[in-house]
Amino acid sequence: MLEKTRAIVLNSLKYGESQMIVDMYTEGRGRLSFIQRIPRQGRAGIKKQYFQPLTILDIEFDYRATQRLHKLRSAAVAFPFRSLPFDMAKLSIALFAAEFTIYVTRSEQADPALYAFIEHSVRWLDACDGSFANFHIIYMLHLTRFLGFYPNVEDATSGCCFDMREGCFVSVAPPHTDFLPPHEAENIGLLLRLSYATMRLLRLTREERNRCVDVVLAYYRLHQPDFPDMKSLAVLRELFG
């Protein structure tokens, strides 16, 4: 059955001599993988360059529920990037965001709101002319809204701890070690209230930003136990740590 949908490329891997496997998060079907022949001619309809991480595509494909790998019939760039592939700092964030999204959407079905958030985030980063050093932290925190474990910020007041198991702020430290003391809980509480447009208002030192990233990843591992180590994190630490 032929279907058309918007899709965001998450990863591509060469398969054999003339094919590649491409992972995408699609608006219409959620997470899907495709097998695509690598074109030998520059004028081919589906170009290899389309499959760079976070590229936004309009695709038509042959969907078969019993197959793990689907076949593209056509693909076209839906949103040409202005700066993201050419700015080393933005590209490093994009690679991190793509790798992170691969892990958190492994079993995700179609969710138009989740797709819209990811596409909005990619487009915002591409268009941003100001500070975006906290982008990856805001992205990870706000994704939890769609994954079912967004922290409850209603009780976040000065002096509270953050219970990472329960995802809430508490006035007394819980009887386990998976919590943040008040000075760290305050930073997480502030980040949860910020958007991409306002995140520049929170100035973090290199040490604080690294710690926030570690905390958010630890939070994901508590709620998604199979969450692996991030290969792209080391590069990001060098640029934005």
Side-chain angles (χ1 to χ4, degrees):
M1 180 172 64
L2 288 180
E3 294 193 11
K4 294 182 179 181
T5 187
R6 183 71 63 89
I8 297 174
V9 177
L10 301 179
N11 185 50
S12 60
L13 179 69
K14 189 174 181 181
Y15 181 72
E17 291 300 317
S18 60
Q19 297 184 100
M20 61 196 312
I21 293 175
V22 184
D23 292 317
M24 302 189 201
Y25 189 73
T26 71
E27 185 176 24
R29 287 286 180 178
R31 181 69 178 272
L32 292 176
S33 296
F34 299 84
I35 187 162
Q36 173 63 31
R37 183 169 295 279
I38 300 173
R40 296 184 178 275
Q41 299 179 358
R43 297 171 62 185
I46 300 179
K47 303 179 187 298
K48 182 180 179 181
Q49 291 80 359
Y50 291 175
F51 305 120
Q52 299 302 310
L54 298 189
T55 302
I56 301 169
L57 301 174
D58 284 320
I59 62 173
E60 183 177 23
F61 65 102
D62 187 8
Y63 178 77
R64 302 191 183 191
T66 58
Q67 291 189 345
R68 188 178 69 87
L69 295 174
H70 305 277
K71 294 183 179 180
L72 290 170
R73 289 295 185 93
S74 66
V77 174
F79 178 76
F81 288 133
R82 186 192 70 173
S83 66
L84 198 153
F86 317 110
D87 182 315
M88 183 55 67
K90 287 186 178 183
L91 183 58
S92 297
I93 281 188
L95 293 174
F96 176 87
E99 183 188 0
F100 182 82
T101 308
I102 287 170
Y103 299 142
V104 300
T105 62
R106 281 179 293 190
S107 59
E108 289 297 314
Q109 302 300 310
D111 183 341
L114 172 56
Y115 177 86
F117 170 75
I118 297 172
E119 181 175 318
H120 165 73
S121 300
V122 174
R123 294 176 67 159
W124 187 94
L125 180 61
D126 180 68
C128 178
D129 291 323
S131 173
F132 51 86
N134 293 331
F135 175 89
H136 50 303
I137 304 175
I138 301 296
Y139 179 74
M140 291 189 292
L141 284 172
H142 284 250
L143 260 180
T144 60
R145 288 183 182 274
F146 307 95
L147 303 174
F149 48 93
Y150 184 74
N152 184 345
V153 297
E154 291 181 2
D155 298 322
T157 59
S158 179
C160 282
C161 299
F162 178 59
D163 186 331
M164 295 176 67
R165 291 187 185 180
E166 299 298 325
C168 63
F169 291 84
V170 293
S171 58
V172 179
H176 56 74
T177 59
D178 296 318
F179 73 92
L180 301 179
H183 68 284
E184 291 188 321
E186 185 174 359
N187 275 344
I188 295 299
L190 287 171
L191 284 163
L192 284 164
R193 291 184 171 95
L194 295 176
S195 66
Y196 296 135
T198 60
M199 65 185 178
R200 69 185 187 283
L201 300 176
L202 180 61
R203 297 185 180 276
L204 298 173
T205 65
R206 173 184 292 268
E207 183 179 45
E208 288 172 335
R209 186 172 293 111
N210 280 340
R211 176 59 180 161
C212 284
V213 171
D214 289 339
V215 163
V216 176
L217 290 175
Y219 184 67
Y220 268 85
R221 292 189 181 101
L222 282 171
H223 296 272
Q224 293 190 329
D226 296 329
F227 197 91
D229 292 333
M230 297 284 295
K231 297 176 182 177
S232 57
L233 183 57
V235 175
L236 210 59
R237 287 196 192 282
E238 288 296 319
L239 288 170
F240 298 102

